[in-house]
Amino acid sequence: MTLPPTISPDAASTWHPGHPTDVALTLAHLRRGRADPTHQVAADGSLWRTTLTVDGPASLRFAQSDLHTITCQAWGAGARAAIDAAPAMVGRDDDPAGFCPAHPVLDGAHRRHPGLRIPKTGRVMEALIPAILEQRVIAVQATASWRRLVHAYGTPAPGPTPGPMMVVPTVRAWQLIPSWEWHKAGVDPQRSRTVMAVLAVARQLERCVELSPEEAASRLRSVPGVGVWTAAEVAQRALGDADALSVGDYHLAGFIGHALFDMEFDDRQLVAAMEQWRPHRFRVVRLLENSGVAGKPRRGPRMPFVDHRAY
């Protein structure tokens, strides 16, 4: 493995997870497009992420020699807080015990990816705002909006990052974005209003990490514009919820139906079929996504569409 950066980190830690952990695979779901300014994979294989902690911005570098040894270095004012949160971010709190694949496709995927964990960043707004940007539009448009806004209103990442990286804007910086900049970023008024609505109660939403999955979903969905799909997307990333199923997703029902049952599913059939894997429904989705299984051929439109998801 290439030696770590020569600039000494502000905090660092090495630990041995109680179960196999593949950092890159686990954190891949946090990445918002290949050019996400908050997420990079370096030439030496280390994974870098930025975050805005309660103490300030931080850059984290994850490296591992095997599935049972992880080293994390951090730079910035929030380095210590970021290091403290790092084990949960890569799945320390994820308990796969009791998960029974009970399907040959899933069984194979589970055996091929023993290090896949469900992350828990603990940073609700960092998951919620990009999820709102993804409502009702294709992924390439949403990730372009995210990239433009973070570059324009975030702050440069501290430390020797492998390339230019950014830390997400503060709540206040998000709130000060003028309406015409949302428009230039390809974000329609409905989505920008939803972002403003969640920013107004950001402190209360960040405390979702202290609640049960049901209570957290209820609190998130109490904000106008945040529905079942958006709450699940946040739970998958910020709250470490291995059961959070993105009901209403444009492709998910068809993907699961074809991948596991060779059938065309709607959302109602998806929920019914996935019940047998509760409380690991999202784990099932992640295993299938990373296993190259054939789902429904994607023949969706190339231009922005209304996908009827429950926001």
Side-chain angles (χ1 to χ4, degrees):
M1 177 181 292
T2 303
L3 292 175
T6 55
I7 299 177
S8 298
D10 296 310
S13 179
T14 297
W15 69 95
H16 304 281
H19 40 54
T21 301
D22 185 324
V23 169
L25 187 61
T26 297
L27 298 186
H29 193 60
L30 304 182
R31 191 175 194 174
R32 305 290 182 166
R34 299 185 67 176
D36 185 346
T38 71
H39 188 118
Q40 282 194 27
V41 178
D44 64 2
S46 61
L47 188 145
W48 290 74
R49 276 200 62 83
T50 67
T51 185
L52 184 60
T53 75
V54 294
D55 295 331
S59 299
L60 298 98
R61 176 186 184 269
F62 291 94
Q64 59 181 148
S65 56
D66 55 60
L67 294 181
H68 295 278
T69 305
I70 300 173
T71 296
C72 185
Q73 300 165 299
W75 291 261
R80 185 70 260 169
I83 285 291
D84 290 343
M89 182 182 291
V90 295
R92 177 197 60 194
D93 300 335
D94 177 36
D95 183 8
F99 174 59
C100 180
H103 189 290
V105 172
L106 270 180
D107 184 64
H110 191 42
R111 285 186 285 103
R112 288 193 299 274
H113 300 292
L116 188 148
R117 306 266 72 85
I118 305 303
K120 182 180 180 181
T121 68
R123 307 306 299 159
V124 171
M125 300 305 291
E126 290 183 16
L128 179 53
I129 291 176
I132 293 169
L133 298 182
E134 292 174 358
Q135 293 175 351
R136 307 188 313 279
V137 298
I138 56 177
V140 66
Q141 181 178 345
T143 56
S145 298
W146 171 250
R147 187 165 61 248
R148 178 180 178 126
L149 291 167
V150 171
H151 273 297
Y153 297 98
T155 55
T161 58
M165 294 183 71
M166 302 293 292
V167 180
V168 295
T170 63
V171 168
R172 187 58 179 158
W174 281 116
Q175 290 175 321
L176 291 175
I177 299 175
S179 59
W180 58 86
E181 289 294 339
W182 289 105
H183 177 72
K184 288 180 180 179
V187 181
D188 60 82
Q190 182 175 342
R191 285 180 292 151
S192 63
R193 283 195 299 269
T194 300
V195 172
M196 291 300 114
V198 301
L199 290 169
V201 291
R203 184 174 298 179
Q204 295 93 313
L205 295 181
E206 289 289 1
R207 297 189 67 178
C208 283
V209 297
E210 303 167 7
L211 305 178
S212 69
E214 296 77 18
E215 292 170 330
S218 178
R219 180 172 294 188
L220 287 164
R221 293 173 59 188
S222 70
V223 182
V226 177
V228 174
W229 181 88
T230 307
E233 292 287 306
V234 173
Q236 295 163 6
R237 296 168 172 86
L239 309 181
D241 189 350
D243 197 51
L245 188 64
S246 298
V247 178
D249 188 89
Y250 185 72
H251 295 290
L252 185 60
F255 172 67
I256 296 296
H258 285 269
L260 294 180
F261 302 98
D262 197 24
M263 294 175 59
E264 180 67 23
F265 274 5
D266 58 22
D267 285 340
R268 180 187 58 80
Q269 292 168 311
L270 169 69
V271 171
M274 294 290 282
E275 186 65 27
Q276 63 183 298
W277 287 293
R278 189 186 291 272
H280 298 280
R281 295 177 298 172
F282 177 55
R283 191 185 314 280
V284 168
V285 174
R286 289 290 290 136
L287 285 169
L288 294 176
E289 287 176 340
N290 285 282
S291 296
V293 297
K296 177 184 178 181
R298 293 195 172 200
R299 300 190 181 95
R302 302 297 295 178
M303 297 296 290
F305 55 83
V306 176
D307 66 9
H308 307 297
R309 68 183 60 168
Y311 312 142

PDB file of all heavy atoms in Angstrom, residues 129-153:
ATOM      1  N   ILE A 129     -30.246  16.914   2.059  1.00  0.00           N
ATOM      2  CA  ILE A 129     -30.279  17.903   0.980  1.00  0.00           C
ATOM      3  C   ILE A 129     -30.026  17.271  -0.388  1.00  0.00           C
ATOM      4  O   ILE A 129     -30.794  17.513  -1.326  1.00  0.00           O
ATOM      5  CB  ILE A 129     -29.317  19.067   1.280  1.00  0.00           C
ATOM      6  CG1 ILE A 129     -29.855  19.878   2.464  1.00  0.00           C
ATOM      7  CG2 ILE A 129     -29.135  19.962   0.048  1.00  0.00           C
ATOM      8  CD1 ILE A 129     -28.948  20.998   2.921  1.00  0.00           C
ATOM      9  N   PRO A 130     -29.000  16.435  -0.567  1.00  0.00           N
ATOM     10  CA  PRO A 130     -28.854  15.799  -1.881  1.00  0.00           C
ATOM     11  C   PRO A 130     -30.007  14.869  -2.234  1.00  0.00           C
ATOM     12  O   PRO A 130     -30.344  14.709  -3.411  1.00  0.00           O
ATOM     13  CB  PRO A 130     -27.529  15.037  -1.773  1.00  0.00           C
ATOM     14  CG  PRO A 130     -27.247  14.928  -0.320  1.00  0.00           C
ATOM     15  CD  PRO A 130     -27.857  16.137   0.321  1.00  0.00           C
ATOM     16  N   ALA A 131     -30.641  14.249  -1.231  1.00  0.00           N
ATOM     17  CA  ALA A 131     -31.815  13.416  -1.522  1.00  0.00           C
ATOM     18  C   ALA A 131     -32.950  14.272  -2.068  1.00  0.00           C
ATOM     19  O   ALA A 131     -33.658  13.862  -2.995  1.00  0.00           O
ATOM     20  CB  ALA A 131     -32.262  12.672  -0.269  1.00  0.00           C
ATOM     21  N   ILE A 132     -33.140  15.450  -1.519  1.00  0.00           N
ATOM     22  CA  ILE A 132     -34.170  16.357  -2.034  1.00  0.00           C
ATOM     23  C   ILE A 132     -33.845  16.765  -3.470  1.00  0.00           C
ATOM     24  O   ILE A 132     -34.725  16.831  -4.333  1.00  0.00           O
ATOM     25  CB  ILE A 132     -34.295  17.593  -1.133  1.00  0.00           C
ATOM     26  CG1 ILE A 132     -34.853  17.181   0.242  1.00  0.00           C
ATOM     27  CG2 ILE A 132     -35.197  18.656  -1.770  1.00  0.00           C
ATOM     28  CD1 ILE A 132     -34.763  18.274   1.291  1.00  0.00           C
ATOM     29  N   LEU A 133     -32.563  17.019  -3.748  1.00  0.00           N
ATOM     30  CA  LEU A 133     -32.173  17.385  -5.108  1.00  0.00           C
ATOM     31  C   LEU A 133     -32.470  16.260  -6.100  1.00  0.00           C
ATOM     32  O   LEU A 133     -32.655  16.516  -7.293  1.00  0.00           O
ATOM     33  CB  LEU A 133     -30.682  17.732  -5.154  1.00  0.00           C
ATOM     34  CG  LEU A 133     -30.216  18.929  -4.317  1.00  0.00           C
ATOM     35  CD1 LEU A 133     -28.727  19.162  -4.523  1.00  0.00           C
ATOM     36  CD2 LEU A 133     -31.007  20.180  -4.665  1.00  0.00           C
ATOM     37  N   GLU A 134     -32.528  15.027  -5.624  1.00  0.00           N
ATOM     38  CA  GLU A 134     -32.782  13.878  -6.490  1.00  0.00           C
ATOM     39  C   GLU A 134     -34.263  13.617  -6.728  1.00  0.00           C
ATOM     40  O   GLU A 134     -34.623  12.743  -7.532  1.00  0.00           O
ATOM     41  CB  GLU A 134     -32.125  12.633  -5.895  1.00  0.00           C
ATOM     42  CG  GLU A 134     -30.599  12.700  -5.919  1.00  0.00           C
ATOM     43  CD  GLU A 134     -29.941  11.544  -5.191  1.00  0.00           C
ATOM     44  OE1 GLU A 134     -30.675  10.707  -4.630  1.00  0.00           O
ATOM     45  OE2 GLU A 134     -28.703  11.484  -5.161  1.00  0.00           O
ATOM     46  N   GLN A 135     -35.135  14.347  -6.053  1.00  0.00           N
ATOM     47  CA  GLN A 135     -36.571  14.138  -6.239  1.00  0.00           C
ATOM     48  C   GLN A 135     -36.982  14.540  -7.654  1.00  0.00           C
ATOM     49  O   GLN A 135     -36.658  15.632  -8.116  1.00  0.00           O
ATOM     50  CB  GLN A 135     -37.375  14.972  -5.237  1.00  0.00           C
ATOM     51  CG  GLN A 135     -37.220  14.563  -3.796  1.00  0.00           C
ATOM     52  CD  GLN A 135     -37.959  15.503  -2.850  1.00  0.00           C
ATOM     53  OE1 GLN A 135     -38.450  16.550  -3.253  1.00  0.00           O
ATOM     54  NE2 GLN A 135     -38.042  15.131  -1.589  1.00  0.00           N
ATOM     55  N   ARG A 136     -37.671  13.610  -8.344  1.00  0.00           N
ATOM     56  CA  ARG A 136     -38.351  13.889  -9.606  1.00  0.00           C
ATOM     57  C   ARG A 136     -37.433  14.158 -10.799  1.00  0.00           C
ATOM     58  O   ARG A 136     -37.909  14.609 -11.838  1.00  0.00           O
ATOM     59  CB  ARG A 136     -39.325  15.082  -9.469  1.00  0.00           C
ATOM     60  CG  ARG A 136     -40.315  14.975  -8.336  1.00  0.00           C
ATOM     61  CD  ARG A 136     -41.376  16.074  -8.370  1.00  0.00           C
ATOM     62  NE  ARG A 136     -40.819  17.389  -8.576  1.00  0.00           N
ATOM     63  CZ  ARG A 136     -40.277  18.153  -7.636  1.00  0.00           C
ATOM     64  NH1 ARG A 136     -40.214  17.717  -6.394  1.00  0.00           N
ATOM     65  NH2 ARG A 136     -39.814  19.345  -7.920  1.00  0.00           N
ATOM     66  N   VAL A 137     -36.126  13.925 -10.674  1.00  0.00           N
ATOM     67  CA  VAL A 137     -35.236  14.137 -11.811  1.00  0.00           C
ATOM     68  C   VAL A 137     -34.300  12.948 -11.957  1.00  0.00           C
ATOM     69  O   VAL A 137     -34.136  12.150 -11.036  1.00  0.00           O
ATOM     70  CB  VAL A 137     -34.408  15.432 -11.662  1.00  0.00           C
ATOM     71  CG1 VAL A 137     -35.308  16.654 -11.603  1.00  0.00           C
ATOM     72  CG2 VAL A 137     -33.510  15.373 -10.426  1.00  0.00           C
ATOM     73  N   ILE A 138     -33.690  12.839 -13.121  1.00  0.00           N
ATOM     74  CA  ILE A 138     -32.740  11.760 -13.345  1.00  0.00           C
ATOM     75  C   ILE A 138     -31.453  12.021 -12.555  1.00  0.00           C
ATOM     76  O   ILE A 138     -31.131  13.160 -12.208  1.00  0.00           O
ATOM     77  CB  ILE A 138     -32.424  11.578 -14.841  1.00  0.00           C
ATOM     78  CG1 ILE A 138     -31.904  12.883 -15.452  1.00  0.00           C
ATOM     79  CG2 ILE A 138     -33.656  11.091 -15.573  1.00  0.00           C
ATOM     80  CD1 ILE A 138     -31.500  12.754 -16.897  1.00  0.00           C
ATOM     81  N   ALA A 139     -30.715  10.952 -12.287  1.00  0.00           N
ATOM     82  CA  ALA A 139     -29.547  11.044 -11.408  1.00  0.00           C
ATOM     83  C   ALA A 139     -28.502  12.019 -11.931  1.00  0.00           C
ATOM     84  O   ALA A 139     -27.898  12.770 -11.154  1.00  0.00           O
ATOM     85  CB  ALA A 139     -28.936   9.660 -11.228  1.00  0.00           C
ATOM     86  N   VAL A 140     -28.250  12.021 -13.239  1.00  0.00           N
ATOM     87  CA  VAL A 140     -27.196  12.885 -13.783  1.00  0.00           C
ATOM     88  C   VAL A 140     -27.518  14.353 -13.545  1.00  0.00           C
ATOM     89  O   VAL A 140     -26.623  15.168 -13.289  1.00  0.00           O
ATOM     90  CB  VAL A 140     -26.962  12.588 -15.279  1.00  0.00           C
ATOM     91  CG1 VAL A 140     -28.176  12.974 -16.121  1.00  0.00           C
ATOM     92  CG2 VAL A 140     -25.707  13.297 -15.777  1.00  0.00           C
ATOM     93  N   GLN A 141     -28.789  14.723 -13.590  1.00  0.00           N
ATOM     94  CA  GLN A 141     -29.166  16.104 -13.324  1.00  0.00           C
ATOM     95  C   GLN A 141     -29.002  16.432 -11.845  1.00  0.00           C
ATOM     96  O   GLN A 141     -28.509  17.499 -11.479  1.00  0.00           O
ATOM     97  CB  GLN A 141     -30.608  16.358 -13.755  1.00  0.00           C
ATOM     98  CG  GLN A 141     -31.067  17.792 -13.526  1.00  0.00           C
ATOM     99  CD  GLN A 141     -32.485  18.038 -14.015  1.00  0.00           C
ATOM    100  OE1 GLN A 141     -33.038  17.245 -14.772  1.00  0.00           O
ATOM    101  NE2 GLN A 141     -33.084  19.130 -13.567  1.00  0.00           N
ATOM    102  N   ALA A 142     -29.415  15.519 -10.970  1.00  0.00           N
ATOM    103  CA  ALA A 142     -29.319  15.760  -9.532  1.00  0.00           C
ATOM    104  C   ALA A 142     -27.866  15.880  -9.085  1.00  0.00           C
ATOM    105  O   ALA A 142     -27.518  16.759  -8.281  1.00  0.00           O
ATOM    106  CB  ALA A 142     -30.016  14.642  -8.771  1.00  0.00           C
ATOM    107  N   THR A 143     -27.006  15.003  -9.580  1.00  0.00           N
ATOM    108  CA  THR A 143     -25.603  15.059  -9.160  1.00  0.00           C
ATOM    109  C   THR A 143     -24.914  16.311  -9.696  1.00  0.00           C
ATOM    110  O   THR A 143     -24.033  16.865  -9.034  1.00  0.00           O
ATOM    111  CB  THR A 143     -24.838  13.801  -9.595  1.00  0.00           C
ATOM    112  OG1 THR A 143     -24.964  13.621 -11.021  1.00  0.00           O
ATOM    113  CG2 THR A 143     -25.382  12.565  -8.896  1.00  0.00           C
ATOM    114  N   ALA A 144     -25.318  16.775 -10.869  1.00  0.00           N
ATOM    115  CA  ALA A 144     -24.760  18.021 -11.398  1.00  0.00           C
ATOM    116  C   ALA A 144     -25.182  19.200 -10.524  1.00  0.00           C
ATOM    117  O   ALA A 144     -24.378  20.111 -10.252  1.00  0.00           O
ATOM    118  CB  ALA A 144     -25.213  18.236 -12.838  1.00  0.00           C
ATOM    119  N   SER A 145     -26.429  19.202 -10.064  1.00  0.00           N
ATOM    120  CA  SER A 145     -26.898  20.262  -9.174  1.00  0.00           C
ATOM    121  C   SER A 145     -26.111  20.248  -7.871  1.00  0.00           C
ATOM    122  O   SER A 145     -25.664  21.298  -7.373  1.00  0.00           O
ATOM    123  CB  SER A 145     -28.394  20.081  -8.888  1.00  0.00           C
ATOM    124  OG  SER A 145     -29.165  20.168 -10.073  1.00  0.00           O
ATOM    125  N   TRP A 146     -25.957  19.074  -7.289  1.00  0.00           N
ATOM    126  CA  TRP A 146     -25.202  18.918  -6.044  1.00  0.00           C
ATOM    127  C   TRP A 146     -23.770  19.424  -6.210  1.00  0.00           C
ATOM    128  O   TRP A 146     -23.266  20.208  -5.394  1.00  0.00           O
ATOM    129  CB  TRP A 146     -25.213  17.451  -5.635  1.00  0.00           C
ATOM    130  CG  TRP A 146     -24.316  17.060  -4.506  1.00  0.00           C
ATOM    131  CD1 TRP A 146     -23.188  16.298  -4.578  1.00  0.00           C
ATOM    132  CD2 TRP A 146     -24.476  17.380  -3.107  1.00  0.00           C
ATOM    133  NE1 TRP A 146     -22.642  16.118  -3.329  1.00  0.00           N
ATOM    134  CE2 TRP A 146     -23.412  16.770  -2.414  1.00  0.00           C
ATOM    135  CE3 TRP A 146     -25.426  18.112  -2.400  1.00  0.00           C
ATOM    136  CZ2 TRP A 146     -23.263  16.874  -1.042  1.00  0.00           C
ATOM    137  CZ3 TRP A 146     -25.278  18.219  -1.025  1.00  0.00           C
ATOM    138  CH2 TRP A 146     -24.202  17.614  -0.350  1.00  0.00           C
ATOM    139  N   ARG A 147     -23.132  19.009  -7.278  1.00  0.00           N
ATOM    140  CA  ARG A 147     -21.745  19.377  -7.516  1.00  0.00           C
ATOM    141  C   ARG A 147     -21.599  20.909  -7.654  1.00  0.00           C
ATOM    142  O   ARG A 147     -20.718  21.509  -7.042  1.00  0.00           O
ATOM    143  CB  ARG A 147     -21.256  18.680  -8.794  1.00  0.00           C
ATOM    144  CG  ARG A 147     -19.790  18.834  -9.086  1.00  0.00           C
ATOM    145  CD  ARG A 147     -19.362  17.830 -10.141  1.00  0.00           C
ATOM    146  NE  ARG A 147     -20.059  18.005 -11.406  1.00  0.00           N
ATOM    147  CZ  ARG A 147     -20.946  17.128 -11.894  1.00  0.00           C
ATOM    148  NH1 ARG A 147     -21.253  16.031 -11.207  1.00  0.00           N
ATOM    149  NH2 ARG A 147     -21.510  17.345 -13.071  1.00  0.00           N
ATOM    150  N   ARG A 148     -22.485  21.525  -8.415  1.00  0.00           N
ATOM    151  CA  ARG A 148     -22.401  22.969  -8.627  1.00  0.00           C
ATOM    152  C   ARG A 148     -22.609  23.738  -7.315  1.00  0.00           C
ATOM    153  O   ARG A 148     -21.868  24.675  -7.007  1.00  0.00           O
ATOM    154  CB  ARG A 148     -23.434  23.400  -9.665  1.00  0.00           C
ATOM    155  CG  ARG A 148     -23.441  24.908  -9.922  1.00  0.00           C
ATOM    156  CD  ARG A 148     -24.468  25.302 -10.960  1.00  0.00           C
ATOM    157  NE  ARG A 148     -24.482  26.740 -11.146  1.00  0.00           N
ATOM    158  CZ  ARG A 148     -24.337  27.356 -12.306  1.00  0.00           C
ATOM    159  NH1 ARG A 148     -24.162  26.643 -13.415  1.00  0.00           N
ATOM    160  NH2 ARG A 148     -24.378  28.677 -12.390  1.00  0.00           N
ATOM    161  N   LEU A 149     -23.596  23.345  -6.551  1.00  0.00           N
ATOM    162  CA  LEU A 149     -23.921  24.073  -5.321  1.00  0.00           C
ATOM    163  C   LEU A 149     -22.848  23.899  -4.248  1.00  0.00           C
ATOM    164  O   LEU A 149     -22.499  24.851  -3.541  1.00  0.00           O
ATOM    165  CB  LEU A 149     -25.278  23.621  -4.799  1.00  0.00           C
ATOM    166  CG  LEU A 149     -26.474  24.036  -5.679  1.00  0.00           C
ATOM    167  CD1 LEU A 149     -27.732  23.279  -5.256  1.00  0.00           C
ATOM    168  CD2 LEU A 149     -26.699  25.542  -5.614  1.00  0.00           C
ATOM    169  N   VAL A 150     -22.308  22.696  -4.120  1.00  0.00           N
ATOM    170  CA  VAL A 150     -21.258  22.470  -3.117  1.00  0.00           C
ATOM    171  C   VAL A 150     -19.991  23.228  -3.494  1.00  0.00           C
ATOM    172  O   VAL A 150     -19.332  23.835  -2.637  1.00  0.00           O
ATOM    173  CB  VAL A 150     -20.984  20.963  -2.943  1.00  0.00           C
ATOM    174  CG1 VAL A 150     -19.757  20.730  -2.065  1.00  0.00           C
ATOM    175  CG2 VAL A 150     -22.195  20.270  -2.340  1.00  0.00           C
ATOM    176  N   HIS A 151     -19.639  23.233  -4.780  1.00  0.00           N
ATOM    177  CA  HIS A 151     -18.462  23.985  -5.215  1.00  0.00           C
ATOM    178  C   HIS A 151     -18.648  25.484  -4.970  1.00  0.00           C
ATOM    179  O   HIS A 151     -17.709  26.180  -4.570  1.00  0.00           O
ATOM    180  CB  HIS A 151     -18.193  23.734  -6.703  1.00  0.00           C
ATOM    181  CG  HIS A 151     -17.353  22.526  -6.969  1.00  0.00           C
ATOM    182  ND1 HIS A 151     -16.052  22.417  -6.521  1.00  0.00           N
ATOM    183  CD2 HIS A 151     -17.623  21.370  -7.631  1.00  0.00           C
ATOM    184  CE1 HIS A 151     -15.550  21.250  -6.897  1.00  0.00           C
ATOM    185  NE2 HIS A 151     -16.483  20.589  -7.567  1.00  0.00           N
ATOM    186  N   ALA A 152     -19.863  25.969  -5.201  1.00  0.00           N
ATOM    187  CA  ALA A 152     -20.103  27.409  -5.103  1.00  0.00           C
ATOM    188  C   ALA A 152     -20.249  27.895  -3.664  1.00  0.00           C
ATOM    189  O   ALA A 152     -19.834  29.021  -3.337  1.00  0.00           O
ATOM    190  CB  ALA A 152     -21.347  27.776  -5.913  1.00  0.00           C
ATOM    191  N   TYR A 153     -20.818  27.069  -2.782  1.00  0.00           N
ATOM    192  CA  TYR A 153     -21.174  27.553  -1.449  1.00  0.00           C
ATOM    193  C   TYR A 153     -20.545  26.756  -0.310  1.00  0.00           C
ATOM    194  O   TYR A 153     -20.708  27.118   0.858  1.00  0.00           O
ATOM    195  CB  TYR A 153     -22.698  27.577  -1.299  1.00  0.00           C
ATOM    196  CG  TYR A 153     -23.320  28.550  -2.270  1.00  0.00           C
ATOM    197  CD1 TYR A 153     -23.853  28.112  -3.479  1.00  0.00           C
ATOM    198  CD2 TYR A 153     -23.332  29.917  -1.993  1.00  0.00           C
ATOM    199  CE1 TYR A 153     -24.390  29.016  -4.393  1.00  0.00           C
ATOM    200  CE2 TYR A 153     -23.873  30.817  -2.891  1.00  0.00           C
ATOM    201  CZ  TYR A 153     -24.394  30.365  -4.095  1.00  0.00           C
ATOM    202  OH  TYR A 153     -24.912  31.262  -4.993  1.00  0.00           O
TER     203      TYR A 153
END
